[in-house]
Amino acid sequence: MDHLKKGEVNLGTSIMAAIFDGGVVLGADSRTTTGSYIANRVTDKLTQVHDTIWCCRSGSAADTQAIADIVHYHLQMYNVQNAEPPATHIAAALFQELCYTNKDQLSAGIIIAGYDKRHGGEVYSIPLGGSLHKQRYAIGGSGSTYIYGYCDANWKENFTEAECVEFVKGSLSEAVKWDGSSGGVIRMVVLTDRGAERKIFFPDEGYKGDGK
């Protein structure tokens, strides 16, 4: 984004999360751009804020990293004070409060996703401006503008885990294909009652993400 303050790095990016029967999948590309310059090809835009609550970050890397660190701290305190892990909606509410209260100073679009045995998989999105939306799946970042039709055509209720991974992989592959600010590898996190499982897909493994 052209209005970024000095020292910030813009995550021209593609991020998403989707629910399946028994959990949730988060995914993101790995390209960080500074204007038209690719500052990092292997950025990790998936950030853990509690055991099975993660977020996808887009916008200013400095802003989103700071917000995630603050939420992580508050969720740790919640866990200690209440002797139970926080639910995903608590993390989402904390993210929203920070994003909305400071909306004039921040450039942050965030997707929060998590799993717990009581609520199952949940996905929340916070676009620029700080509004909060609970969704079955959410997409964000510069690459998301290219894949609304693809996601609508391929989304279905009650995905299996494998189907959801392929849905996220396919969606991000399309975003990387068309968006010049997205690229690199596709990183994923699968959250279930087994915990958090990380996955990575390289350009030579079935999608065109090398940004030639």
Side-chain angles (χ1 to χ4, degrees), residues 49-188:
V49 292
H50 206 263
D51 294 346
T52 53
I53 305 174
W54 290 61
C55 69
C56 310
R57 301 177 292 108
S58 69
S60 160
D63 291 350
T64 57
Q65 286 168 0
I67 294 167
D69 286 345
I70 294 168
V71 171
H72 174 74
Y73 168 78
H74 283 292
L75 293 180
Q76 294 288 84
M77 292 298 295
Y78 178 97
N79 196 7
V80 172
Q81 292 171 354
N82 295 277
E84 65 177 15
T88 308
H89 68 85
I90 293 173
L94 287 169
F95 271 107
Q96 190 207 12
E97 182 178 359
L98 291 165
C99 290
Y100 182 76
T101 304
N102 302 284
K103 61 182 180 294
D104 295 330
Q105 288 78 43
L106 296 175
S107 173
I110 298 173
I111 296 173
I112 304 100
Y115 173 85
D116 63 72
K117 292 182 178 180
R118 181 178 177 185
H119 301 96
E122 292 184 302
V123 171
Y124 297 86
S125 67
I126 302 176
L128 294 175
S131 57
L132 180 64
H133 310 272
K134 184 177 182 180
Q135 299 172 268
R136 304 295 288 171
Y137 74 88
I139 58 177
S142 56
S144 66
T145 58
Y146 300 93
I147 59 172
Y148 280 97
Y150 179 93
C151 291
D152 282 344
N154 289 277
W155 164 258
K156 68 177 185 179
E157 296 287 343
N158 301 318
F159 271 137
T160 65
E161 181 177 332
E163 289 172 337
C164 195
V165 167
E166 285 303 310
F167 171 68
V168 172
K169 178 183 175 184
S171 300
L172 292 175
S173 296
E174 288 298 310
V176 164
K177 177 181 176 182
W178 296 106
D179 179 36
S181 294
S182 300
V185 300
I186 291 176
R187 300 184 187 276
M188 286 189 204

Side-chain angles (χ1 to χ4, degrees), residues 11-57:
L11 296 181
T13 189
S14 299
I15 58 174
M16 70 180 298
I19 292 171
F20 64 88
D21 188 16
V24 64
V25 176
L26 300 87
D29 76 310
S30 67
R31 176 176 292 178
T32 295
T33 56
T34 307
S36 59
Y37 174 69
I38 299 174
N40 193 341
R41 296 177 59 213
V42 289
T43 308
D44 188 358
K45 303 172 187 177
L46 306 178
T47 302
Q48 185 178 29
V49 292
H50 206 263
D51 294 346
T52 53
I53 305 174
W54 290 61
C55 69
C56 310
R57 301 177 292 108

